[in-house]
Amino acid sequence: MANVTSKYSKRLDVLPPYLFAHIDALKAEKEARGVDIIDLGVGDPDCPTPPHIVRSLVQAAHKSSNHQYPSSEGMLSYREAVSEWYAKKHVALDPTNEVLTLIGSKEGIAHLPLAFVNRGDNVLVPDPAYPVYKIATILADGKPIGMPLSAENGFLPDIDKAVTDAKLLFINYPNNPTAAVADDAFFRTVVDYARDNDVIVCHDAAYLELTFDGYAAPSFLSVPGAMDVGIEINSLSKTYNMTGWRIGFAVGNAEVIAGLREVKSNLDSGAFQAVQEAGIAAMTGPQDTVDALRKLYAERRDALVDGLRNIGWSVEKPKATFYVWVPVPDGSPSLEFSLKLLDVGIVATPGIGFGEHGEGYVRFALTVPVSTIEEAVIRLEEVV
Ligand SMILES: *Cc1c(COP(=O)(O)O)cnc(C)c1O
């Protein structure tokens, strides 16, 4: 067929360029030339899935009842495990209509606008942010409206300044890429705004469990009234090192969940049941692996933050996530700075890749061992 690219839909044409693919290509080029790369770029845990979860998958994969189409809302037993897990830590949920299995949280985020957004509808998305909120909005023909996050406001959007005629609002705490956390007071502001203006809230809680120094992050749903205005999307990816498995869930307002379920029932046929059984093993089994993971990321965070401070960089010590969000120390544009880091074999993500208000920062992911972080700090000292 001639000239296929000219046939791409307008939807594809207006997607922002994927900066990370550019950096990946440059990284591959360096690697091919034999440069020893330290990759602090991607937000993908380096540790394996705990063995008891893997064993559960192996057993479940042998069951022929798991070989057929799953239901699009997911197994009731999985949804019950989610509701028990939430009840222990956060809020009570009805597994029959307030919980929905997702094929990873990205899937749920990407499908949500299709359930609620009409052409041209406003959708509030943080800037900087995980790119999926904006892209899913564009793919649903909605209009993304950025809410700037800055150090001065603790990387919390100024909800009072948000447009009032929005259909949907995305927030994400603990936050990627800034590693900021939100308190109940902020979530209460969001609930008030959503109730006053009739806006649906989607809180992405992918890092809810990855907190340090005794800090526990609140669920959005734990704030009074939140269940009336929105949902929380969560994932086993980061908590249990299961990014490759594609398993997560949406919880919260039953009508919002029903809208998302309706889209899913028409576009996918649910998550492999054996993976859902492994998810049950993750949520109901021993949680000491999660404690160990928190400790591991805290040690790496200390190695990086203390190391950077020792070489004169000014860096906040995050309370959660496995990212460190660092002001570019020499004031150069973040993309230019990331390319400089690549020259010494370090991959970090330029803030601009997360939105225009991410400019001036780079994000380091704590997905390598402490010894490698120490080597990275030595190389970083050369750069500036
Ligand atoms: C990693 C991540 C997710 C999780 O994605 P999955 O699809 O569940 O693997 C969701 N939101 C943010 C902000 C993330 O960084």
PDB file of all heavy atoms in Angstrom, residues 263-296:
ATOM      1  N   VAL A 263     -16.748   0.100  28.659  1.00  0.00           N
ATOM      2  CA  VAL A 263     -15.738   0.254  27.597  1.00  0.00           C
ATOM      3  C   VAL A 263     -14.914  -1.021  27.483  1.00  0.00           C
ATOM      4  O   VAL A 263     -14.720  -1.573  26.393  1.00  0.00           O
ATOM      5  CB  VAL A 263     -14.812   1.465  27.887  1.00  0.00           C
ATOM      6  CG1 VAL A 263     -13.643   1.501  26.910  1.00  0.00           C
ATOM      7  CG2 VAL A 263     -15.599   2.757  27.819  1.00  0.00           C
ATOM      8  N   LYS A 264     -14.447  -1.514  28.630  1.00  0.00           N
ATOM      9  CA  LYS A 264     -13.587  -2.698  28.627  1.00  0.00           C
ATOM     10  C   LYS A 264     -14.289  -3.917  28.055  1.00  0.00           C
ATOM     11  O   LYS A 264     -13.688  -4.719  27.344  1.00  0.00           O
ATOM     12  CB  LYS A 264     -13.113  -3.002  30.052  1.00  0.00           C
ATOM     13  CG  LYS A 264     -11.996  -2.092  30.523  1.00  0.00           C
ATOM     14  CD  LYS A 264     -11.597  -2.379  31.960  1.00  0.00           C
ATOM     15  CE  LYS A 264     -11.143  -3.804  32.190  1.00  0.00           C
ATOM     16  NZ  LYS A 264      -9.997  -4.243  31.361  1.00  0.00           N
ATOM     17  N   SER A 265     -15.573  -4.058  28.358  1.00  0.00           N
ATOM     18  CA  SER A 265     -16.266  -5.258  27.898  1.00  0.00           C
ATOM     19  C   SER A 265     -16.386  -5.263  26.384  1.00  0.00           C
ATOM     20  O   SER A 265     -16.553  -6.299  25.765  1.00  0.00           O
ATOM     21  CB  SER A 265     -17.629  -5.391  28.568  1.00  0.00           C
ATOM     22  OG  SER A 265     -18.483  -4.374  28.093  1.00  0.00           O
ATOM     23  N   ASN A 266     -16.248  -4.076  25.773  1.00  0.00           N
ATOM     24  CA  ASN A 266     -16.312  -3.998  24.320  1.00  0.00           C
ATOM     25  C   ASN A 266     -14.942  -4.003  23.651  1.00  0.00           C
ATOM     26  O   ASN A 266     -14.847  -4.219  22.443  1.00  0.00           O
ATOM     27  CB  ASN A 266     -17.071  -2.739  23.898  1.00  0.00           C
ATOM     28  CG  ASN A 266     -18.562  -2.905  24.125  1.00  0.00           C
ATOM     29  OD1 ASN A 266     -19.215  -3.646  23.404  1.00  0.00           O
ATOM     30  ND2 ASN A 266     -19.084  -2.266  25.157  1.00  0.00           N
ATOM     31  N   LEU A 267     -13.889  -3.742  24.409  1.00  0.00           N
ATOM     32  CA  LEU A 267     -12.563  -3.616  23.785  1.00  0.00           C
ATOM     33  C   LEU A 267     -11.578  -4.714  24.189  1.00  0.00           C
ATOM     34  O   LEU A 267     -10.671  -5.031  23.437  1.00  0.00           O
ATOM     35  CB  LEU A 267     -11.936  -2.257  24.120  1.00  0.00           C
ATOM     36  CG  LEU A 267     -12.594  -1.041  23.490  1.00  0.00           C
ATOM     37  CD1 LEU A 267     -11.798   0.201  23.826  1.00  0.00           C
ATOM     38  CD2 LEU A 267     -12.688  -1.190  21.985  1.00  0.00           C
ATOM     39  N   ASP A 268     -11.697  -5.228  25.392  1.00  0.00           N
ATOM     40  CA  ASP A 268     -10.790  -6.326  25.765  1.00  0.00           C
ATOM     41  C   ASP A 268     -11.638  -7.371  26.467  1.00  0.00           C
ATOM     42  O   ASP A 268     -12.797  -7.147  26.762  1.00  0.00           O
ATOM     43  CB  ASP A 268      -9.629  -5.831  26.640  1.00  0.00           C
ATOM     44  CG  ASP A 268     -10.047  -5.312  27.995  1.00  0.00           C
ATOM     45  OD1 ASP A 268     -10.705  -6.069  28.753  1.00  0.00           O
ATOM     46  OD2 ASP A 268      -9.728  -4.153  28.327  1.00  0.00           O
ATOM     47  N   SER A 269     -11.031  -8.517  26.691  1.00  0.00           N
ATOM     48  CA  SER A 269     -11.811  -9.577  27.336  1.00  0.00           C
ATOM     49  C   SER A 269     -11.224  -9.933  28.682  1.00  0.00           C
ATOM     50  O   SER A 269     -11.289 -11.073  29.121  1.00  0.00           O
ATOM     51  CB  SER A 269     -11.886 -10.790  26.420  1.00  0.00           C
ATOM     52  OG  SER A 269     -12.588 -10.451  25.245  1.00  0.00           O
ATOM     53  N   GLY A 270     -10.659  -8.934  29.348  1.00  0.00           N
ATOM     54  CA  GLY A 270     -10.222  -9.143  30.722  1.00  0.00           C
ATOM     55  C   GLY A 270      -8.816  -9.706  30.840  1.00  0.00           C
ATOM     56  O   GLY A 270      -8.150 -10.010  29.851  1.00  0.00           O
ATOM     57  N   ALA A 271      -8.360  -9.801  32.091  1.00  0.00           N
ATOM     58  CA  ALA A 271      -7.000 -10.269  32.390  1.00  0.00           C
ATOM     59  C   ALA A 271      -7.003 -11.790  32.541  1.00  0.00           C
ATOM     60  O   ALA A 271      -7.944 -12.359  33.119  1.00  0.00           O
ATOM     61  CB  ALA A 271      -6.507  -9.617  33.683  1.00  0.00           C
ATOM     62  N   PHE A 272      -5.956 -12.442  32.028  1.00  0.00           N
ATOM     63  CA  PHE A 272      -5.759 -13.902  32.160  1.00  0.00           C
ATOM     64  C   PHE A 272      -6.022 -14.294  33.621  1.00  0.00           C
ATOM     65  O   PHE A 272      -5.427 -13.728  34.542  1.00  0.00           O
ATOM     66  CB  PHE A 272      -4.319 -14.230  31.742  1.00  0.00           C
ATOM     67  CG  PHE A 272      -3.935 -15.686  31.764  1.00  0.00           C
ATOM     68  CD1 PHE A 272      -4.865 -16.712  31.633  1.00  0.00           C
ATOM     69  CD2 PHE A 272      -2.582 -16.030  31.894  1.00  0.00           C
ATOM     70  CE1 PHE A 272      -4.468 -18.047  31.633  1.00  0.00           C
ATOM     71  CE2 PHE A 272      -2.177 -17.352  31.899  1.00  0.00           C
ATOM     72  CZ  PHE A 272      -3.126 -18.372  31.781  1.00  0.00           C
ATOM     73  N   GLN A 273      -6.909 -15.264  33.807  1.00  0.00           N
ATOM     74  CA  GLN A 273      -7.306 -15.616  35.185  1.00  0.00           C
ATOM     75  C   GLN A 273      -6.136 -16.128  36.012  1.00  0.00           C
ATOM     76  O   GLN A 273      -6.097 -15.926  37.226  1.00  0.00           O
ATOM     77  CB  GLN A 273      -8.424 -16.645  35.147  1.00  0.00           C
ATOM     78  CG  GLN A 273      -9.716 -16.047  34.594  1.00  0.00           C
ATOM     79  CD  GLN A 273     -10.940 -16.869  34.951  1.00  0.00           C
ATOM     80  OE1 GLN A 273     -10.857 -17.850  35.676  1.00  0.00           O
ATOM     81  NE2 GLN A 273     -12.074 -16.460  34.453  1.00  0.00           N
ATOM     82  N   ALA A 274      -5.187 -16.816  35.374  1.00  0.00           N
ATOM     83  CA  ALA A 274      -4.030 -17.308  36.142  1.00  0.00           C
ATOM     84  C   ALA A 274      -3.244 -16.119  36.714  1.00  0.00           C
ATOM     85  O   ALA A 274      -2.723 -16.189  37.834  1.00  0.00           O
ATOM     86  CB  ALA A 274      -3.140 -18.176  35.260  1.00  0.00           C
ATOM     87  N   VAL A 275      -3.187 -15.033  35.963  1.00  0.00           N
ATOM     88  CA  VAL A 275      -2.510 -13.826  36.459  1.00  0.00           C
ATOM     89  C   VAL A 275      -3.326 -13.208  37.600  1.00  0.00           C
ATOM     90  O   VAL A 275      -2.772 -12.712  38.585  1.00  0.00           O
ATOM     91  CB  VAL A 275      -2.263 -12.821  35.316  1.00  0.00           C
ATOM     92  CG1 VAL A 275      -1.752 -11.491  35.851  1.00  0.00           C
ATOM     93  CG2 VAL A 275      -1.267 -13.394  34.310  1.00  0.00           C
ATOM     94  N   GLN A 276      -4.651 -13.254  37.486  1.00  0.00           N
ATOM     95  CA  GLN A 276      -5.483 -12.750  38.592  1.00  0.00           C
ATOM     96  C   GLN A 276      -5.260 -13.603  39.847  1.00  0.00           C
ATOM     97  O   GLN A 276      -5.194 -13.075  40.957  1.00  0.00           O
ATOM     98  CB  GLN A 276      -6.963 -12.758  38.208  1.00  0.00           C
ATOM     99  CG  GLN A 276      -7.282 -11.791  37.067  1.00  0.00           C
ATOM    100  CD  GLN A 276      -8.776 -11.671  36.823  1.00  0.00           C
ATOM    101  OE1 GLN A 276      -9.527 -11.257  37.706  1.00  0.00           O
ATOM    102  NE2 GLN A 276      -9.206 -12.034  35.627  1.00  0.00           N
ATOM    103  N   GLU A 277      -5.124 -14.928  39.667  1.00  0.00           N
ATOM    104  CA  GLU A 277      -4.860 -15.784  40.837  1.00  0.00           C
ATOM    105  C   GLU A 277      -3.514 -15.436  41.469  1.00  0.00           C
ATOM    106  O   GLU A 277      -3.379 -15.423  42.698  1.00  0.00           O
ATOM    107  CB  GLU A 277      -4.920 -17.269  40.451  1.00  0.00           C
ATOM    108  CG  GLU A 277      -6.347 -17.741  40.192  1.00  0.00           C
ATOM    109  CD  GLU A 277      -6.499 -19.258  40.272  1.00  0.00           C
ATOM    110  OE1 GLU A 277      -5.769 -19.901  41.053  1.00  0.00           O
ATOM    111  OE2 GLU A 277      -7.365 -19.796  39.542  1.00  0.00           O
ATOM    112  N   ALA A 278      -2.530 -15.154  40.627  1.00  0.00           N
ATOM    113  CA  ALA A 278      -1.226 -14.725  41.163  1.00  0.00           C
ATOM    114  C   ALA A 278      -1.375 -13.385  41.894  1.00  0.00           C
ATOM    115  O   ALA A 278      -0.737 -13.149  42.926  1.00  0.00           O
ATOM    116  CB  ALA A 278      -0.206 -14.618  40.038  1.00  0.00           C
ATOM    117  N   GLY A 279      -2.241 -12.534  41.376  1.00  0.00           N
ATOM    118  CA  GLY A 279      -2.513 -11.253  42.037  1.00  0.00           C
ATOM    119  C   GLY A 279      -3.140 -11.460  43.410  1.00  0.00           C
ATOM    120  O   GLY A 279      -2.812 -10.749  44.374  1.00  0.00           O
ATOM    121  N   ILE A 280      -4.032 -12.458  43.503  1.00  0.00           N
ATOM    122  CA  ILE A 280      -4.625 -12.781  44.811  1.00  0.00           C
ATOM    123  C   ILE A 280      -3.518 -13.221  45.771  1.00  0.00           C
ATOM    124  O   ILE A 280      -3.462 -12.784  46.924  1.00  0.00           O
ATOM    125  CB  ILE A 280      -5.694 -13.900  44.665  1.00  0.00           C
ATOM    126  CG1 ILE A 280      -6.864 -13.406  43.807  1.00  0.00           C
ATOM    127  CG2 ILE A 280      -6.173 -14.361  46.042  1.00  0.00           C
ATOM    128  CD1 ILE A 280      -7.858 -14.505  43.417  1.00  0.00           C
ATOM    129  N   ALA A 281      -2.608 -14.068  45.264  1.00  0.00           N
ATOM    130  CA  ALA A 281      -1.481 -14.530  46.104  1.00  0.00           C
ATOM    131  C   ALA A 281      -0.654 -13.335  46.577  1.00  0.00           C
ATOM    132  O   ALA A 281      -0.221 -13.278  47.732  1.00  0.00           O
ATOM    133  CB  ALA A 281      -0.606 -15.512  45.327  1.00  0.00           C
ATOM    134  N   ALA A 282      -0.461 -12.356  45.685  1.00  0.00           N
ATOM    135  CA  ALA A 282       0.324 -11.174  46.058  1.00  0.00           C
ATOM    136  C   ALA A 282      -0.372 -10.405  47.178  1.00  0.00           C
ATOM    137  O   ALA A 282       0.258 -10.044  48.179  1.00  0.00           O
ATOM    138  CB  ALA A 282       0.524 -10.276  44.839  1.00  0.00           C
ATOM    139  N   MET A 283      -1.674 -10.160  47.026  1.00  0.00           N
ATOM    140  CA  MET A 283      -2.373  -9.289  47.982  1.00  0.00           C
ATOM    141  C   MET A 283      -2.709  -9.990  49.295  1.00  0.00           C
ATOM    142  O   MET A 283      -2.806  -9.325  50.321  1.00  0.00           O
ATOM    143  CB  MET A 283      -3.649  -8.728  47.338  1.00  0.00           C
ATOM    144  CG  MET A 283      -3.348  -7.689  46.273  1.00  0.00           C
ATOM    145  SD  MET A 283      -4.843  -6.999  45.537  1.00  0.00           S
ATOM    146  CE  MET A 283      -5.310  -8.312  44.430  1.00  0.00           C
ATOM    147  N   THR A 284      -2.918 -11.316  49.263  1.00  0.00           N
ATOM    148  CA  THR A 284      -3.321 -12.012  50.492  1.00  0.00           C
ATOM    149  C   THR A 284      -2.143 -12.720  51.153  1.00  0.00           C
ATOM    150  O   THR A 284      -2.266 -13.162  52.294  1.00  0.00           O
ATOM    151  CB  THR A 284      -4.428 -13.063  50.203  1.00  0.00           C
ATOM    152  OG1 THR A 284      -3.912 -14.033  49.281  1.00  0.00           O
ATOM    153  CG2 THR A 284      -5.666 -12.419  49.604  1.00  0.00           C
ATOM    154  N   GLY A 285      -1.014 -12.857  50.441  1.00  0.00           N
ATOM    155  CA  GLY A 285       0.142 -13.571  50.984  1.00  0.00           C
ATOM    156  C   GLY A 285       0.970 -12.700  51.905  1.00  0.00           C
ATOM    157  O   GLY A 285       0.553 -11.596  52.287  1.00  0.00           O
ATOM    158  N   PRO A 286       2.165 -13.196  52.279  1.00  0.00           N
ATOM    159  CA  PRO A 286       3.052 -12.429  53.163  1.00  0.00           C
ATOM    160  C   PRO A 286       3.438 -11.082  52.531  1.00  0.00           C
ATOM    161  O   PRO A 286       3.700 -11.019  51.327  1.00  0.00           O
ATOM    162  CB  PRO A 286       4.285 -13.326  53.311  1.00  0.00           C
ATOM    163  CG  PRO A 286       4.185 -14.359  52.234  1.00  0.00           C
ATOM    164  CD  PRO A 286       2.749 -14.475  51.859  1.00  0.00           C
ATOM    165  N   GLN A 287       3.421 -10.037  53.342  1.00  0.00           N
ATOM    166  CA  GLN A 287       3.728  -8.685  52.843  1.00  0.00           C
ATOM    167  C   GLN A 287       5.151  -8.248  53.194  1.00  0.00           C
ATOM    168  O   GLN A 287       5.512  -7.078  53.001  1.00  0.00           O
ATOM    169  CB  GLN A 287       2.708  -7.675  53.386  1.00  0.00           C
ATOM    170  CG  GLN A 287       1.259  -7.976  52.998  1.00  0.00           C
ATOM    171  CD  GLN A 287       1.012  -7.949  51.488  1.00  0.00           C
ATOM    172  OE1 GLN A 287       1.261  -6.942  50.830  1.00  0.00           O
ATOM    173  NE2 GLN A 287       0.542  -9.066  50.919  1.00  0.00           N
ATOM    174  N   ASP A 288       5.954  -9.203  53.710  1.00  0.00           N
ATOM    175  CA  ASP A 288       7.322  -8.801  54.079  1.00  0.00           C
ATOM    176  C   ASP A 288       8.143  -8.393  52.858  1.00  0.00           C
ATOM    177  O   ASP A 288       9.084  -7.608  52.973  1.00  0.00           O
ATOM    178  CB  ASP A 288       8.026  -9.909  54.888  1.00  0.00           C
ATOM    179  CG  ASP A 288       7.967 -11.261  54.192  1.00  0.00           C
ATOM    180  OD1 ASP A 288       7.132 -11.429  53.278  1.00  0.00           O
ATOM    181  OD2 ASP A 288       8.759 -12.149  54.551  1.00  0.00           O
ATOM    182  N   THR A 289       7.760  -8.888  51.665  1.00  0.00           N
ATOM    183  CA  THR A 289       8.505  -8.490  50.460  1.00  0.00           C
ATOM    184  C   THR A 289       8.299  -7.002  50.182  1.00  0.00           C
ATOM    185  O   THR A 289       9.190  -6.336  49.661  1.00  0.00           O
ATOM    186  CB  THR A 289       8.053  -9.290  49.226  1.00  0.00           C
ATOM    187  OG1 THR A 289       6.656  -9.070  49.006  1.00  0.00           O
ATOM    188  CG2 THR A 289       8.315 -10.783  49.401  1.00  0.00           C
ATOM    189  N   VAL A 290       7.123  -6.485  50.544  1.00  0.00           N
ATOM    190  CA  VAL A 290       6.855  -5.060  50.310  1.00  0.00           C
ATOM    191  C   VAL A 290       7.696  -4.217  51.282  1.00  0.00           C
ATOM    192  O   VAL A 290       8.279  -3.199  50.889  1.00  0.00           O
ATOM    193  CB  VAL A 290       5.350  -4.744  50.456  1.00  0.00           C
ATOM    194  CG1 VAL A 290       5.074  -3.289  50.072  1.00  0.00           C
ATOM    195  CG2 VAL A 290       4.502  -5.678  49.593  1.00  0.00           C
ATOM    196  N   ASP A 291       7.787  -4.688  52.519  1.00  0.00           N
ATOM    197  CA  ASP A 291       8.642  -3.990  53.497  1.00  0.00           C
ATOM    198  C   ASP A 291      10.089  -3.972  53.030  1.00  0.00           C
ATOM    199  O   ASP A 291      10.777  -2.947  53.127  1.00  0.00           O
ATOM    200  CB  ASP A 291       8.590  -4.696  54.867  1.00  0.00           C
ATOM    201  CG  ASP A 291       7.242  -4.504  55.550  1.00  0.00           C
ATOM    202  OD1 ASP A 291       6.614  -3.449  55.311  1.00  0.00           O
ATOM    203  OD2 ASP A 291       6.824  -5.398  56.305  1.00  0.00           O
ATOM    204  N   ALA A 292      10.541  -5.124  52.510  1.00  0.00           N
ATOM    205  CA  ALA A 292      11.929  -5.220  52.048  1.00  0.00           C
ATOM    206  C   ALA A 292      12.166  -4.263  50.872  1.00  0.00           C
ATOM    207  O   ALA A 292      13.220  -3.631  50.769  1.00  0.00           O
ATOM    208  CB  ALA A 292      12.247  -6.661  51.641  1.00  0.00           C
ATOM    209  N   LEU A 293      11.157  -4.156  50.010  1.00  0.00           N
ATOM    210  CA  LEU A 293      11.276  -3.277  48.844  1.00  0.00           C
ATOM    211  C   LEU A 293      11.364  -1.808  49.275  1.00  0.00           C
ATOM    212  O   LEU A 293      12.161  -1.031  48.753  1.00  0.00           O
ATOM    213  CB  LEU A 293      10.053  -3.504  47.950  1.00  0.00           C
ATOM    214  CG  LEU A 293      10.162  -3.113  46.488  1.00  0.00           C
ATOM    215  CD1 LEU A 293      11.316  -3.847  45.811  1.00  0.00           C
ATOM    216  CD2 LEU A 293       8.847  -3.432  45.763  1.00  0.00           C
ATOM    217  N   ARG A 294      10.536  -1.445  50.261  1.00  0.00           N
ATOM    218  CA  ARG A 294      10.583  -0.065  50.782  1.00  0.00           C
ATOM    219  C   ARG A 294      11.972   0.251  51.320  1.00  0.00           C
ATOM    220  O   ARG A 294      12.512   1.329  51.081  1.00  0.00           O
ATOM    221  CB  ARG A 294       9.573   0.102  51.926  1.00  0.00           C
ATOM    222  CG  ARG A 294       8.138   0.093  51.484  1.00  0.00           C
ATOM    223  CD  ARG A 294       7.219   0.429  52.676  1.00  0.00           C
ATOM    224  NE  ARG A 294       5.843   0.190  52.296  1.00  0.00           N
ATOM    225  CZ  ARG A 294       5.109  -0.826  52.734  1.00  0.00           C
ATOM    226  NH1 ARG A 294       5.593  -1.682  53.625  1.00  0.00           N
ATOM    227  NH2 ARG A 294       3.869  -0.994  52.300  1.00  0.00           N
ATOM    228  N   LYS A 295      12.525  -0.719  52.064  1.00  0.00           N
ATOM    229  CA  LYS A 295      13.832  -0.531  52.663  1.00  0.00           C
ATOM    230  C   LYS A 295      14.900  -0.391  51.569  1.00  0.00           C
ATOM    231  O   LYS A 295      15.780   0.471  51.641  1.00  0.00           O
ATOM    232  CB  LYS A 295      14.133  -1.748  53.556  1.00  0.00           C
ATOM    233  CG  LYS A 295      15.241  -1.554  54.519  1.00  0.00           C
ATOM    234  CD  LYS A 295      15.184  -2.627  55.625  1.00  0.00           C
ATOM    235  CE  LYS A 295      16.549  -2.799  56.242  1.00  0.00           C
ATOM    236  NZ  LYS A 295      17.415  -3.767  55.550  1.00  0.00           N
ATOM    237  N   LEU A 296      14.791  -1.245  50.551  1.00  0.00           N
ATOM    238  CA  LEU A 296      15.747  -1.218  49.443  1.00  0.00           C
ATOM    239  C   LEU A 296      15.731   0.135  48.728  1.00  0.00           C
ATOM    240  O   LEU A 296      16.780   0.754  48.508  1.00  0.00           O
ATOM    241  CB  LEU A 296      15.397  -2.338  48.454  1.00  0.00           C
ATOM    242  CG  LEU A 296      16.277  -2.443  47.213  1.00  0.00           C
ATOM    243  CD1 LEU A 296      17.558  -3.202  47.566  1.00  0.00           C
ATOM    244  CD2 LEU A 296      15.548  -3.152  46.084  1.00  0.00           C
TER     245      LEU A 296
END
